[in-house]
Amino acid sequence: MNAVTTPSAAPAGRAAAGAPDRAVATPVPGTADLAVPAAPDLVAERGLTAAEVAERIAQGRTNATDAGLSRSVWQIVRANVFTRFNAILGALFVLILITGSFADGVFGIVLIVNSGIGIVQEYLAKRKLDRLALLHAPTIRVVRDGRTVEIPTADVVQDDLIELRTGDQVPADGRLTSASGLELNESNLTGESDSIPKAPGDEVRSGTSVVAGTGRFTAAAVGADAYANRIAAEARRFTRTRSEIQDSVNRLLKYITWVIVIALPLQIWSQYRAIGDQGWREVVIRSTGGLVGLVPEGLVLLTSVAFLLAAVQLTRQQVLVQELPAVEGLARVDVVCLDKTGTLTVGDIVFEDLLPLDVYDEQDLREALGALADDANANGTLKAVADAIPAPQDWERRHTVAFNSARKWSAATFAGARGTWVMGAPDVLVRGHEDGAEEIRHRVGELAGTGRRVLLLANTDQALHGQDLPGGIVPRALVVLSEQVRPDAKETLDFFAAQGVAIKIISGDNPTTVAAIARRVGLEVGPEGAVDARTIGSTPEELRDIVERTTVFGRVSPEQKRALVNALKMNGHVAAMTGDGVNDALALKDADIGVAMNNGAQATKAVAQLVLLDGRFSHLPSVLAEGRRVIGNVERVANLFVAKNVMSLIAIVSAAVAALPFPFLPRHLTLVSAVTIGIPSFFLALGPNKRRYLPGFLRRVLRFAVPAGVIAGLVVLVSYLVAKKEPALLAWEAAGGCKGPAAELASAKQICWHPSTAATVALLITFFWILVVLARPLRAWKAGLVFGLIGVTVLVFLVPAGRDFFDFAFTPALLWQSLLVGAAGAVAIEVVYRTTPGMKAATS
């Protein structure tokens, strides 16, 4: 999709008027080297001609950018298909197909399904985000051939004369040719929420928005050369979210690859020695049966399914998961970095109170304030007042001076004896009024210390003349406004505190104001808990110490946001970062988990692993809960898969040492895997699990699964050897009755399958007990699941079609022997469970 990467306009209320603790104007940090070249000398009223536009389009000097929000379709397919897991199973699947024993190739279905799940999920997430981008594609007005026309921002060309009005997003970089009361919100670039006044000749940059006034500028830098797109281009470089589960599984597969390299010749040699006279197909089938058992194919599939289902569940809660491992990632987070605006606060300011300073009637003051706010060109502050106080019907406005960040006040003269009313910064309006001035400053300071914004309402009998402040002003009341705190902010932060997750507020605003708002939502911010980032370092190494002991960082530049995140990571933390502006993009990219707001800049949504579609920070506890459920449940059932792999290795080595056929056909292990591992694991992975994350996933799995797998392998060996000693079988083998390809054996020769049947029965008993152990505590649904699967297994042995498909054959005596051997294995599994550190806690 060709679309310029421009952020959504910030809410008008973010540019509040007259706050005494705010900077009037600040340059864009870190952009001194990005000076915008002066645009060519164009006729200001005419703009470009159609021919000039066509020439620039042909030269590629347009605002269109290749703003891919994620990997291409081919990249998604390649990452999900060409894996070590698929290479191992794919090679074994081909070998089975060559033998013609299609019943033993069922495991190949897992290969296709696993790749399909990853491809489909990532592709759907990509489509959804691309669709969102299209729906929010911005437009802008340009002057061409002397006429003002509205076009998509992607169609802007270099040297276009662009007209800016309130609410517009600046689509390119350039210099103003004209401006009338123009003020820009540069918070997307700087994090500072104050509006910045602009005059002719000043630079404007893409990624900012107009909050007041009008202006025109010529586009000097467009497309990939624009500042916002430079940031987006760096941020868009794809990096995959780290997943401890996936890393552990991949590490396990790496080890198993080497085990297979060693076991492959051993298995082929031992099976050729044991059953070579039955033909090469039987050797391949038996060899493959052991090697397939070494691959935890279901574990990889289960991990993908668990992540996918969690992503689907979160989408219903308005959380778009762009990368599957992000669900797990947030569960590992121990520090959440967030901005004040959009997370703690809604982003809009609201009228809170009117505090009279003298005996002037409060009702009259409210009428005057309502009349002053009844302005068609009201800024964010006046709009907040107008929302709370209705305009009186009999106030006739004669003259108006609009608010300007430089003068910090607005005023209006009304007809009759109502005079002139002024509202603005107290430190500006109280000058020359020494009586009570100190008391006013004291009250303003107290209120500002709590995070409120305080303006002074005053009046005078003198009429307005030009843009000058009239004389004879008398202070009448303090107008108290506040940023609207999200109603769910305190509950969300309390949740993280209870879970041991630290909170760091990283904002471009005044640290005192940010700290006050943080306290309002329950964060503990001590006397030294808030710092002005301009007084600290700018590299991760310089910030490692202060980031540990500080909760609130104010006046933070985009580069410092990134450095703070990296400092936390250098200190061993798993850090999440939330943001909505272009200035947050690189910090989100470097964080372990990036969380973007859907109303934020496209650059942030492009690099974030999670997008909050409705912008509600309160969804994060749900994501954390889903992540914990995934981690806990995948760890619970991973023991089943790894135990099977260890069992297969023991069986391979035992068969080689004892010169025996491998005890199982691939279909036998498919049955065991399905009823004791695959199917129950799928359901167990969906169950609730609130256990907190603990590092060491693979270590804990191996601590239980290895001894459990060894026990299962010994159970297989013992049951197989016992069955081999059956007198009838010995007599039949002595007569050469079990020679030749299995497919050619007569029905009377089913006695030859007694050892494999016995080994399968004993292994089923042992693995069902491993399942019972790992499913604890046994809720009703878990018990029903286990007993249901046992019933299915019994039917396989009782129904002729099942026996024939799996080549099962047994006698009552053989069955009882196998059950006893399996029961002994179950007892040993229980002992391992009770003596393995941490196992009871892991299954509680």
Side-chain angles (χ1 to χ4, degrees), residues 281-310:
R281 287 183 175 83
E282 295 304 316
V283 173
V284 170
I285 291 172
R286 289 280 181 167
S287 299
T288 302
L291 297 174
V292 168
L294 287 175
V295 182
E297 74 281 359
L299 179 57
V300 181
L301 175 60
L302 176 73
T303 302
S304 296
V305 170
F307 283 154
L308 175 61
L309 294 178

Side-chain angles (χ1 to χ4, degrees), residues 82-397:
F82 299 105
T83 65
R84 180 183 286 107
F85 156 70
N86 287 350
I88 295 172
L89 277 190
L92 296 177
F93 182 58
V94 170
L95 286 176
I96 288 294
L97 293 181
I98 292 174
T99 67
S101 182
F102 301 111
D104 289 310
V106 177
F107 66 87
I109 297 175
V110 176
L111 183 152
I112 300 171
V113 172
N114 184 69
S115 298
I117 286 175
I119 292 171
V120 170
Q121 198 279 337
E122 288 197 46
Y123 176 69
L124 290 178
K126 171 186 172 64
R127 282 189 59 194
K128 189 165 188 176
L129 196 63
D130 288 349
R131 195 179 306 119
L132 288 171
L134 282 172
L135 290 174
H136 294 86
T139 60
I140 195 69
R141 283 166 293 275
V142 298
V143 179
R144 291 179 177 175
D145 290 317
R147 296 185 303 110
T148 300
V149 294
E150 187 169 331
I151 63 172
T153 56
D155 292 347
V156 171
V157 299
Q158 191 173 12
D159 300 329
D160 250 330
L161 181 60
I162 299 173
E163 183 175 295
L164 298 176
R165 301 178 189 176
T166 301
D168 285 346
Q169 301 171 38
V170 180
D173 300 347
R175 294 183 183 277
L176 288 168
T177 58
S178 64
S180 175
L182 182 67
E183 296 182 17
L184 299 185
N185 184 321
E186 298 182 343
S187 61
N188 265 333
L189 301 183
T190 67
E192 168 61 64
S193 62
D194 277 339
S195 57
I196 310 300
K198 297 291 183 178
D202 287 347
E203 294 178 335
V204 294
R205 295 190 183 277
S206 59
T208 61
S209 57
V210 181
V211 296
T214 60
R216 287 184 175 184
F217 77 98
T218 50
V222 296
D225 294 329
Y227 174 63
N229 289 335
R230 292 190 189 186
I231 294 179
E234 181 178 353
R236 275 197 301 269
R237 296 194 192 100
F238 184 83
T239 55
R240 180 173 288 277
T241 304
R242 178 183 174 271
S243 163
E244 184 182 3
I245 292 178
Q246 291 185 336
D247 288 349
S248 298
V249 172
N250 288 336
R251 194 178 310 122
L252 191 62
L253 284 173
K254 181 179 179 181
Y255 299 153
I256 289 173
T257 301
W258 289 108
V259 171
I260 291 175
V261 169
I262 298 172
L264 178 62
L266 176 65
Q267 175 77 334
I268 294 175
W269 171 76
S270 68
Q271 296 310 293
Y272 178 79
R273 185 177 60 162
I275 58 173
D277 55 352
Q278 297 181 28
W280 68 271
R281 287 183 175 83
E282 295 304 316
V283 173
V284 170
I285 291 172
R286 289 280 181 167
S287 299
T288 302
L291 297 174
V292 168
L294 287 175
V295 182
E297 74 281 359
L299 179 57
V300 181
L301 175 60
L302 176 73
T303 302
S304 296
V305 170
F307 283 154
L308 175 61
L309 294 178
V312 171
Q313 176 65 24
L314 290 171
T315 300
R316 297 193 184 106
Q317 301 179 42
Q318 296 298 302
V319 179
L320 175 63
V321 180
Q322 301 201 86
E323 294 180 43
L324 287 176
V327 177
E328 173 208 339
L330 192 63
R332 294 188 289 109
V333 163
D334 60 359
V335 178
V336 175
C337 304
L338 49 90
D339 195 357
K340 169 180 65 64
T341 304
T343 51
L344 298 184
T345 63
V346 176
D348 297 328
I349 58 172
V350 293
F351 173 80
E352 186 173 304
D353 203 359
L354 182 65
L355 305 177
L357 295 174
D358 56 17
V359 296
Y360 207 101
D361 184 73
E362 182 174 351
Q363 183 58 37
D364 291 340
L365 289 173
R366 294 182 70 87
E367 285 191 5
L369 187 58
L372 191 61
D374 185 24
D375 186 346
N377 297 311
N379 65 355
T381 300
L382 289 177
K383 288 178 181 177
V385 172
D387 289 340
I389 300 178
Q393 299 297 318
D394 54 347
W395 286 60
E396 182 183 348
R397 184 186 295 258

